[in-house]
Amino acid sequence: EVTSEGLPVLFVRDLPPVTTVDIDIRRAFARDASGLEMIPDAVARPTSIDEVAALLREATSTRTAVTPAGWQSSTTGASITDHGLLLSLRGLGAIGEVDTDTRTIRVGPGAIVADVRRAAEAAGLLFTPDPTSEEESTIGGAIACNASGARSLRYGATRPHVRAITVLLASGERLDLRRPQLEKNTVGYPIAHDPVDWFVGSEGTLGVVVEAELALHALPAHVLGLMVPFEREDDALAFVVSARRSTAVHPRCLEFFDQGAMDIARAAEGSTGWATNATAMVYVEETGADEAHPDDELPLEAWLELADAHVALSADIRVYDSVTALREARHLRHAVPATMNERGAARRPFGGRKVSTDWAVPYPRLAEALHMARRFAADAGVTSGIAYGHAGNGHPHQNFIAQDAEELHRIERVVEATLRDVIAMGGTVAAEHGIGKLKRRWLPMQASPAQLRVMHAIKREFDPLGLLSQGNVL
């Protein structure tokens, strides 16, 4: 027997105080950054690990689906559901003391990424993962989708910075997992060497991360930022390739803006008269070759010479050399997805929304891939998506705005055609936002049947009833 809300009567009768079926609260948890809307049957807002464990045990006993979520900044629909229990982990947001000896910090899954970064910086250290949504995204979400950001060019995505995690399985069973410190290991299959990696990037489908120990790095003494505009986009992308291959410069990020993204950034800053001849620009951050020697001079001249060699609009290059200026530069970058989210939200009443991609190709082939993607859009009569993001990793974001349901269908066909060629180039359908619900249809384009069988086997091992994050990934 089930209630009108779709939940088993037993579950409703035994709801802990942290759970509600109030429709207004359920609607408040019905959207993320994907543009989708899904109203859950109930919402739970625990404030302790014990409460999460109790909720999971009860859900297992009643066969109730559970979808963990943080602040719901997912672009793939991973943090929303239209059935079962939405398990909000915002209340588990504790941030522990920084251990400066081990360079680690323990945090709850609801801790905001930017707050963790600020806590590390106050102790003279750096938490390197920096998703654009760091002020709205949680550590639990970053672990769930292996989030990255501009600095991942040097430091990698979230995965290598997770030292240990506490995970609750669907049954409520607790696993305390820590990365091995071995430099050599030949015991068994490599896939089983490090259980932490089973859960980083699993998008809530295998277990619920309720605590994490994160690795911190030395805080660079000096950071140099450069905004380099170009009259031709191909010159901008060639500049990125040369910067990756150079031994004279040492970028920690290489962020690309096409003309549409530039227009948004300039409007956000109120500098529409800057670099008016440019059709693309690249934002660079440099911290030097060796952060252990903070007094070494940063290679500004080498960057300017590289820009000149690629016909940059040298007179319009901007230099950011203070904490405040660097923060302003990052605000310009954040303005692009924020503006596109607003535009997409305005089309929801008409059946449209923002369509976001996060494919990637080997970085030397990025120009070729963007030309190909725009050709598919033009052939379909679709306005090409604004492109911006992590060019240094061969990883742009394309954001389309579907005006209505008919155009949404055409854009999705363009994206699928693009992804087929991206895979043919040795690329991936999802580089940082995960698969979630929106990209699940495209996973078999990249993963072989054998890979999918292995993923299903791992899912059955940890969640045999298939209750966690139904619809995500598989």
Side-chain angles (χ1 to χ4, degrees):
E1 184 180 359
V2 297
T3 69
S4 61
E5 308 296 345
L7 285 174
V9 169
L10 177 62
F11 190 80
V12 174
R13 186 185 68 209
D14 295 334
L15 282 178
V18 298
T19 306
T20 179
V21 294
D22 180 271
I23 185 61
D24 290 332
I25 294 176
R26 288 158 50 207
R27 283 176 176 152
F29 287 84
R31 288 182 177 177
D32 60 12
S34 68
L36 301 179
E37 181 174 0
M38 297 181 176
I39 300 176
D41 294 328
V43 173
R45 294 174 288 182
T47 57
S48 71
I49 293 175
D50 287 344
E51 286 180 343
V52 177
L55 284 161
L56 291 171
R57 286 193 296 269
E58 185 65 22
T60 293
S61 72
T62 57
R63 303 301 192 265
T64 299
V66 177
T67 298
W71 280 95
Q72 297 180 295
S73 59
S74 170
T75 64
T76 65
S79 58
I80 54 177
T81 183
D82 58 4
H83 63 282
L85 181 70
L86 192 291
L87 178 62
S88 173
L89 299 172
R90 299 177 188 181
L92 277 72
I95 298 177
E97 294 294 323
V98 172
D99 187 326
T100 54
D101 292 331
T102 62
R103 289 186 175 178
T104 60
I105 184 171
R106 287 197 75 86
V107 304
I112 298 296
V113 172
D115 289 340
V116 175
R117 173 180 57 77
R118 284 187 279 266
E121 289 174 352
L125 295 171
L126 176 67
F127 180 59
T128 63
D130 61 331
T132 305
S133 59
E134 65 173 359
E135 296 287 354
E136 301 92 32
S137 59
T138 62
I139 291 296
I143 292 173
C145 70
N146 191 27
S148 56
R151 291 194 297 252
S152 61
L153 176 65
R154 173 171 292 188
Y155 300 109
T158 298
R159 183 183 306 279
H161 308 290
V162 180
R163 289 272 187 89
I165 52 174
T166 297
V167 179
L168 298 181
L169 302 185
S171 63
E173 178 186 351
R174 174 174 173 147
L175 301 180
D176 290 295
L177 305 174
R178 177 169 294 277
R179 289 197 186 280
Q181 300 302 304
L182 296 169
E183 294 183 5
K184 299 176 69 176
N185 183 13
T186 60
V187 176
Y189 298 153
I191 194 175
H193 286 178
D194 190 346
V196 170
D197 279 338
W198 295 341
F199 294 93
V200 179
S202 64
E203 302 187 47
T205 61
L206 303 180
V208 181
V209 175
V210 290
E211 195 172 40
E213 181 181 302
L214 307 172
L216 307 177
H217 292 254
L219 187 66
H222 308 290
V223 180
L224 173 69
L226 294 170
M227 196 73 80
V228 186
F230 296 84
E231 192 169 353
R232 295 179 64 252
E233 181 179 289
D234 284 352
D235 291 333
L237 295 172
F239 169 80
V240 169
V241 173
S242 294
R244 277 292 308 264
R245 294 173 174 173
S246 172
T247 58
V249 296
H250 317 93
R252 75 171 182 180
C253 75
L254 287 164
E255 295 287 290
F256 169 75
F257 298 71
D258 74 357
Q259 186 158 18
M262 277 190 72
D263 290 342
I264 291 173
R266 287 185 293 204
E269 187 187 41
S271 60
T272 53
W274 172 69
T276 55
N277 292 333
T279 64
M281 66 182 180
V282 177
Y283 175 67
V284 171
E285 282 184 1
E286 164 79 64
T287 59
D290 187 355
E291 292 171 6
H293 298 85
D295 294 329
D296 289 353
E297 186 175 344
L298 298 183
L300 174 59
E301 289 304 318
W303 277 109
L304 296 179
E305 290 174 6
L306 188 64
D308 284 340
H310 289 280
V311 204
L313 297 173
S314 299
D316 289 316
I317 292 176
R318 290 181 168 181
V319 178
Y320 304 86
D321 56 2
S322 70
V323 173
T324 301
L326 289 163
R327 189 180 300 119
E328 290 172 355
R330 288 191 167 250
H331 172 71
L332 295 183
R333 165 67 165 78
H334 183 69
V336 180
T339 298
M340 297 304 286
N341 285 343
E342 292 172 2
R343 293 177 182 177
R347 304 312 302 173
R348 283 175 183 159
F350 307 96
R353 60 175 172 84
K354 183 188 80 170
V355 178
S356 175
T357 73
D358 67 329
W359 52 261
V361 294
Y363 75 88
R365 303 192 70 178
L366 179 54
E368 176 188 355
L370 281 174
H371 286 313
M372 171 270 298
R374 288 170 178 148
R375 186 172 63 253
F376 282 131
D379 290 347
V382 167
T383 300
S384 185
I386 284 177
Y388 66 97
H390 321 300
N393 295 115
H395 170 211
H397 298 286
Q398 272 194 303
N399 283 183
F400 299 84
I401 301 299
Q403 300 298 314
D404 52 33
E406 188 277 331
E407 187 173 30
L408 175 61
H409 180 64
R410 283 190 289 138
I411 289 173
E412 288 178 335
R413 286 188 299 180
V414 168
V415 171
E416 182 163 327
T418 300
L419 294 180
R420 292 190 185 281
D421 274 17
V422 160
I423 292 170
M425 291 181 186
T428 177
V429 302
E432 71 173 347
H433 291 158
I435 295 296
K437 299 174 179 66
L438 282 178
K439 300 174 186 174
R440 186 181 62 205
R441 73 185 103 168
W442 295 317
L443 180 62
M445 292 169 58
Q446 181 173 342
S448 70
Q451 288 173 306
L452 291 171
R453 287 195 297 270
V454 169
M455 293 170 67
H456 278 285
I458 295 172
K459 171 70 170 174
R460 286 192 297 271
E461 173 62 28
F462 289 109
D463 182 20
L465 298 178
L467 299 178
L468 294 180
S469 296
Q470 290 181 355
N472 287 359
V473 186
L474 299 173

